[in-house]
C-alpha cells in the first residue's frame, strides 16, 4: 500500500493510525493496529518517505500455525522501515505477549545478537488459546511506533 498526505509547510508533530479487523471465520490476526508518531513538514519535491518502523514477528510454528504451550519460546522478529527513509537509531524497543486476546499483557525479554533480534516468551500451561503480540519503539529522533497483533498464533498442548 502507498499513501501520501499533504502537510503544512512548517514542521509539526503527527500521529498516523491504521487498524485492520478481520471477521467471519478468521482465527488469526483478527485485529492489527499500527500507530506512529513523527515530525514532518513540506519538502521541495513534495514527497519524502517517513522514518517509521514496523515489526515482523517470525515464530517457529507447526502446520496449523501453533506453538506448544507450557514452555519458553523464542520469537525472532525484524524491524523494517520505508525504503528511502532516513534511519534513526532505535533507542527503546519493547515486546509484550497476551494469552487472553489482548486483555492483559506480559513483558518479554528482548535480546539482540548481531543483526538478529528475539523476544523470549513464557507460554502458559494450557493450549487451545492464542498468543497476541505487541511491540513499541522510540528512535533517537523521537518517532514512535505501537503495533498490536491480536491472535497472532495458536497455542497447542504439547
Amino acid at each position: 500500500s502507498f499513501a501520501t498526505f499533504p502537510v503544512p509547510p512548517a514542521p509539526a508533530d503527527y500521529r498516523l493510525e491504521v487498524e485492520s479487523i478481520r471477521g467471519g471465520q478468521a482465527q488469526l490476526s483478527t485485529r492489527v493496529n499500527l500507530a506512529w508518531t513523527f515530525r514532518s513538514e513540506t519538502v521541495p519535491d513534495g514527497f519524502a518517505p517517513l522514518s517509521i518502523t514496523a515489526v515482523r514477528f517470525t515464530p517457529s510454528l507447526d502446520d496449523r500455525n501453533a506453538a506448544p504451550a507450557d514452555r519458553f519460546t523464542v520469537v525472532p522478529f525484524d524491524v523494517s522501515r520505508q525504503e528511502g527513509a532516513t534511519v534513526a537509531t532505535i533507542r527503546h524497543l519493547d515486546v509484550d505477549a497476551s494469552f487472553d486476546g489482548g486483555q492483559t499483557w506480559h513483558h518479554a525479554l528482548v535480546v539482540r545478537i548481531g543483526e538478529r533480534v528475539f523476544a523470549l516468551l513464557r507460554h502458559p500451561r494450557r493450549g487451545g488459546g492464542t498468543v497476541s503480540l505487541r511491540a513499541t519503539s522510540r528512535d533517537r529522533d523521537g518517532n514512535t511506533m505501537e503495533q498490536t497483533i491480536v491472535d497472532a498464533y495458536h497455542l497447542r498442548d504439547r
Side-chain angles (χ1 to χ4, degrees):
S1 280
F2 183 85
T4 60
F5 304 94
V7 296
D13 294 322
Y14 294 91
R15 181 173 174 90
L16 175 61
E17 297 183 31
V18 179
E19 181 177 57
S20 172
I21 298 174
R22 295 175 39 171
Q25 295 185 12
Q27 294 181 358
L28 295 176
S29 299
T30 56
R31 190 180 82 225
V32 178
N33 297 78
L34 270 160
W36 299 277
T37 61
F38 54 91
R39 189 156 186 84
S40 189
E41 63 187 296
T42 299
V43 293
D45 66 359
F47 174 78
L50 297 173
S51 182
I52 57 178
T53 58
V55 171
R56 181 170 186 255
F57 294 102
T58 54
S60 179
L61 305 174
D62 66 16
D63 60 350
R64 294 183 181 179
N65 293 313
D70 196 22
R71 68 169 50 166
F72 283 99
T73 300
V74 175
V75 177
F77 65 93
D78 297 305
V79 178
S80 63
R81 299 180 192 275
Q82 289 194 84
E83 189 174 321
T86 52
V87 176
T89 303
I90 293 176
R91 291 201 180 269
H92 177 81
L93 188 140
D94 276 329
V95 173
D96 301 294
S98 174
F99 309 105
D100 59 8
Q103 298 300 308
T104 57
W105 293 93
H106 306 275
H107 187 67
L109 176 65
V110 174
V111 178
R112 181 181 197 126
I113 301 172
E115 294 299 312
R116 302 282 302 161
V117 189
F118 307 88
L120 180 62
L121 310 180
R122 173 71 170 126
H123 285 166
R125 290 185 177 176
R126 293 188 179 173
T130 63
V131 177
S132 300
L133 298 169
R134 177 174 68 187
T136 57
S137 72
R138 176 180 298 277
D139 69 22
R140 72 160 197 259
D141 291 341
N143 301 310
T144 66
M145 181 271 310
E146 304 163 22
Q147 177 178 329
T148 304
I149 304 168
V150 175
D151 304 321
Y153 60 91
H154 295 290
L155 276 180
R156 64 171 158 70
D157 289 320
R158 286 183 174 199

